[in-house]
Amino acid sequence: MSIKPPFTELEIKTEEKGFYENASLPIALVSKGIMVALVLWALIWPGNANSTLGSLNWSLLEGFNQFYIIIVGLFAFFLFIVAALPYSGRKVMGTPGENPEFSNFSWFSMMFGAGLGVGLMVYATAEPMSLWGSNPVVVSGAVEGSSEAAVQSAFRYTFLHYGFHAWAIYVITGLSLAYYAYTRDMPLTIRSALTPLLGSAANGVLGHIVDVLGVVATILGVSVTIGFGVSQFVDGLYAVTNMSWLVTTNGDVPAPSTVGLITALVIIMSLSILSAVSGVGRGVKYLSNLNMVLSLILLLIFVIFGSFLFAMTTYATAMADYILNFISLSFEAYGPQSASEFSDALPGVAKPFADDLIAGATNAWGSFDGFKSGLEGAAAELDETTLQAVYTAGADGRLFGWQAGWTTFYWAWWIAFSPFVGLFLARISKGRTVREFILGCVIAPALVCFAWMTILGGTAVDLEVAGLADPSIAAASTTNKLFVALENILSEGLYSIVVVMCVVLIMTFLVTSADSGILVMNTIMSGGAQETGIKHRIIWGLILTAVIGVLIIAAGENNPLDALKNAMIIGALPFTLVMALMMVSLGKALYRDSQREKLDAKGTAPAE
């Protein structure tokens, strides 16, 4: 018995001279062409781009919401199985006895900063606060939103969005790339992860398509992250300087203005390009270490001045609740509720008014009282019991709308972000075992995220539950909730100092994310080379700046990040299919390699 040796003859043709020297011309031109076309479309026809992206995004969510939910659940379970199995878990990604390139502290700092740094700054307070008011348990009518009874479910879904599932998405990509790069000496690029399935076809057009999808997903995933981070950066600058041009007061609360966002974007991206030019060994490493230190200081401030006892109690109960509901959270997926399904579930007296009732009853962002108050004509005359039955009939529609707007948005965001984070994790993880990689990149950062969410977000929720925030935190914009929470727990003088520190932390997180993304895009474009030309780092930095800027402008003043989010979800879908194939490929590679080692030990394996 013998097993064919694995396909490792991956050849990605790069240019030998000229402007694209050492880069793959098809990958570079196609990926840049797609991004330039998007920029020109949003620049010349901003209204059309914004509305088209929004419409296409919702159509994709209706068709693929369940796919997103289930595939991410499979990612998490697959990785836990790989880590638990003896052979796959102990496999070293490198030569036997090779030491890791970075210390554990630097490794974790870079992993944390690149993976969820900006997201945690924006959502550590906003996520629990928002889910306290609306989550599937609230939407289904089991508990009342923004009540003490809703705290448990709020943190259950907070842990879902920033826990093991989120990091499993990154690690599927990262582990695949690291495994082939360091055990089979293959290029550190996306197509390498599919060679067990594609074989020599990975050297052709199919391989180019896979790498281009990785570049496009990276740009859009990083763009959304920077967009949220820049918005919070502007909120922080406004809190420090009180410069009115940074914000707009068109809504109920001050929010970053388009001028403020574009100005901050240019500042951040200029610093990012400078950092990217310095390379991962210097710029990203030092910034990541600074990020970790400042993050620990911010966490300590909430421990001292916030609701630490409430946070720790919540951490323990939420962790138990998260684990107990892990399977249902992984695979409970909802599809859109059709008009006929809604009508069939209505009581007889309400059926003639189905068309008037469906919008309100299936609105995931409304409440029963809001549903009743929005009715007009004969539908408004229905009695309370009937209206309650109507609202119950729309539960599946509300649950779909909530899941598509929250969980699926996050999964698409992390998937779009995963070529960047995954390749970056692979780049810094040579010499580590598969089990160490999975536990270090799934379990450890998730536990830290949980601490952030319960300490920062728990303080905000506790202040609102106790009626001490008036409710200023709940009323604040998503990116401003952190600063409002700090204002509620700190004296005026200390608040000013901490806000300045937060602005610096947000800036360094943004620079880390952006320059890491620039380095990753160049790595893919150059066929997996870890050292890339400076001029192309600058060009990708400028393209990234242009994509974010024009989509912010296209979305308009009221919802400046909507076009970015819609484009990201659309761009993430093709790469989700690539990641599903990565999982299958990695499973095949691990199994076949274990069989080869067994045969080699018996002296029957063919020479490679």
Side-chain angles (χ1 to χ4, degrees):
M1 176 184 175
S2 64
I3 300 177
K4 289 174 58 179
F7 175 80
T8 58
E9 298 173 3
L10 193 61
E11 298 175 359
I12 304 174
K13 183 181 178 182
T14 57
E15 300 301 301
E16 296 180 359
K17 59 182 179 179
F19 184 76
Y20 283 101
E21 183 180 359
N22 298 324
S24 169
L25 197 59
I27 299 173
L29 293 182
V30 174
S31 55
K32 286 180 179 178
I34 292 171
M35 288 300 104
V36 170
L38 176 62
V39 169
L40 292 176
W41 180 33
L43 196 62
I44 299 172
W45 299 286
N48 176 265
N50 189 40
S51 61
T52 302
L53 288 172
S55 176
L56 181 56
N57 169 47
W58 187 248
S59 297
L60 289 178
L61 286 175
E62 287 185 324
F64 290 94
N65 180 70
Q66 293 166 309
F67 170 70
Y68 270 118
I69 299 300
I70 293 170
I71 197 66
V72 171
L74 290 175
F75 290 161
F77 277 88
F78 172 79
L79 289 175
F80 290 148
I81 292 170
V82 168
L85 292 175
Y87 168 78
S88 57
R90 68 171 181 265
K91 185 76 172 178
V92 176
M93 296 184 295
T95 57
E98 183 172 10
N99 294 320
E101 181 180 359
F102 298 99
S103 69
N104 287 337
F105 182 81
S106 291
W107 181 57
F108 185 80
S109 297
M110 287 189 283
M111 173 207 317
F112 187 75
L116 281 177
V118 175
L120 282 185
M121 288 299 294
V122 173
Y123 281 103
T125 308
E127 179 85 1
M129 279 298 305
S130 299
L131 295 186
W132 181 49
S134 176
N135 64 66
V137 180
V138 173
V139 168
S140 67
V143 300
E144 183 181 351
S146 301
S147 67
E148 194 167 349
V151 171
Q152 182 182 34
S153 54
F155 279 95
R156 178 192 306 167
Y157 287 91
T158 296
F159 280 24
L160 168 66
H161 295 157
Y162 284 81
F164 304 145
H165 294 84
W167 287 92
I169 293 171
Y170 297 154
V171 172
I172 283 289
T173 303
L175 180 59
S176 296
L177 298 176
Y179 186 81
Y180 300 109
Y182 303 136
T183 67
R184 296 185 176 182
D185 196 28
M186 297 178 71
L188 192 62
T189 189
I190 305 298
R191 72 175 76 183
S192 295
L194 297 185
T195 50
L197 296 180
L198 297 181
S200 60
N203 287 328
V205 175
L206 280 177
H208 293 330
I209 292 172
V210 169
D211 283 343
V212 167
L213 290 176
V215 173
V216 171
T218 298
I219 293 174
L220 296 175
V222 173
S223 294
V224 170
T225 300
I226 293 174
F228 276 114
V230 164
S231 180
Q232 191 177 46
F233 182 67
V234 171
D235 281 323
L237 286 178
Y238 177 69
V240 172
T241 64
N242 206 33
M243 291 188 290
S244 59
W245 62 272
L246 289 170
V247 300
T248 177
T249 54
N250 293 338
D252 296 330
V253 293
S257 65
T258 301
V259 174
L261 289 170
I262 298 300
T263 303
L265 174 66
V266 171
I267 294 171
I268 293 296
M269 290 307 301
S270 299
L271 295 172
S272 300
I273 293 170
L274 290 174
S275 180
V277 167
S278 74
V280 69
R282 294 185 294 275
V284 175
K285 176 182 175 181
Y286 297 142
L287 281 176
S288 296
N289 289 343
L290 175 62
N291 290 346
M292 184 60 69
V293 172
L294 293 180
S295 298
L296 291 174
I297 293 173
L298 179 60
L299 198 64
L300 186 61
I301 288 169
F302 272 89
V303 168
I304 296 172
F305 298 99
S307 306
F308 185 63
L309 180 61
F310 176 86
M312 288 300 94
T313 303
T314 302
Y315 190 109
T317 56
M319 175 63 77
D321 185 55
Y322 173 57
I323 293 172
L324 288 172
N325 289 280
F326 193 81
I327 295 177
S328 63
L329 291 172
S330 299
F331 300 113
E332 193 170 42
Y334 298 97
Q337 186 177 22
S338 67
S340 60
E341 290 171 336
F342 174 74
S343 180
D344 291 342
L346 292 178
V349 68
K351 287 184 183 293
F353 311 108
D355 292 342
D356 299 322
L357 296 168
I358 187 170
T362 58
N363 178 17
W365 318 117
S367 62
F368 177 63
D369 290 338
F371 161 64
K372 288 195 301 181
S373 62
L375 295 175
E376 297 178 351
E381 303 299 322
L382 295 172
D383 62 86
E384 181 84 7
T385 303
T386 300
L387 290 177
Q388 186 65 61
V390 170
Y391 193 68
T392 300
D396 285 348
R398 295 195 303 276
L399 288 168
F400 162 73
W402 188 95
Q403 191 175 64
W406 275 99
T407 304
T408 304
F409 163 71
Y410 274 121
W411 290 174
W413 187 3
W414 305 152
I415 287 166
F417 215 39
S418 70
F420 150 50
V421 180
L423 202 152
F424 187 70
L425 291 178
R427 167 66 182 83
I428 64 175
S429 299
K430 187 177 183 180
R432 298 186 182 272
T433 66
V434 169
R435 183 176 294 116
E436 184 181 12
F437 187 89
I438 292 174
L439 297 181
C441 298
V442 174
I443 305 297
L447 295 178
V448 175
C449 289
F450 296 161
W452 266 77
M453 292 293 180
T454 50
I455 293 173
L456 275 67
T459 294
V461 171
D462 188 43
L463 289 171
E464 292 288 3
V465 169
L468 301 176
D470 289 332
S472 56
I473 304 174
S477 66
T478 297
T479 53
N480 199 34
K481 279 181 166 58
L482 171 64
F483 300 114
V484 177
L486 285 169
E487 193 174 17
N488 275 273
I489 63 174
L490 300 177
S491 63
E492 186 175 346
L494 185 57
Y495 169 74
S496 300
I497 296 172
V498 173
V499 169
V500 171
M501 186 196 76
C502 286
V503 170
V504 173
L505 180 57
I506 294 164
M507 181 179 69
T508 55
F509 267 138
L510 283 169
V511 172
T512 303
S513 296
D515 63 14
S516 300
I518 292 168
L519 291 170
V520 164
M521 285 182 275
N522 277 282
T523 296
I524 298 173
M525 188 181 73
S526 60
Q530 297 184 16
E531 296 298 330
T532 58
I534 290 177
K535 60 180 179 290
H536 290 294
R537 299 181 198 175
I538 295 172
I539 290 171
W540 275 117
L542 295 175
I543 290 175
L544 186 59
T545 306
V547 169
I548 300 169
V550 298
L551 289 179
I552 285 175
I553 293 170
E557 195 80 57
N558 292 332
N559 298 290
L561 301 182
D562 276 5
L564 271 174
K565 292 190 290 184
N566 292 332
M568 177 272 296
I569 294 174
I570 294 166
L573 182 59
F575 196 75
T576 308
L577 301 174
V578 172
M579 287 185 64
L581 295 176
M582 280 185 182
M583 179 175 65
V584 175
S585 293
L586 183 59
K588 178 182 177 182
L590 287 166
Y591 173 73
R592 300 280 282 184
D593 283 352
S594 71
Q595 296 300 107
R596 291 186 186 97
E597 287 195 12
K598 289 178 182 178
L599 291 174
D600 188 50
K602 296 178 181 179
T604 57
E608 295 189 17

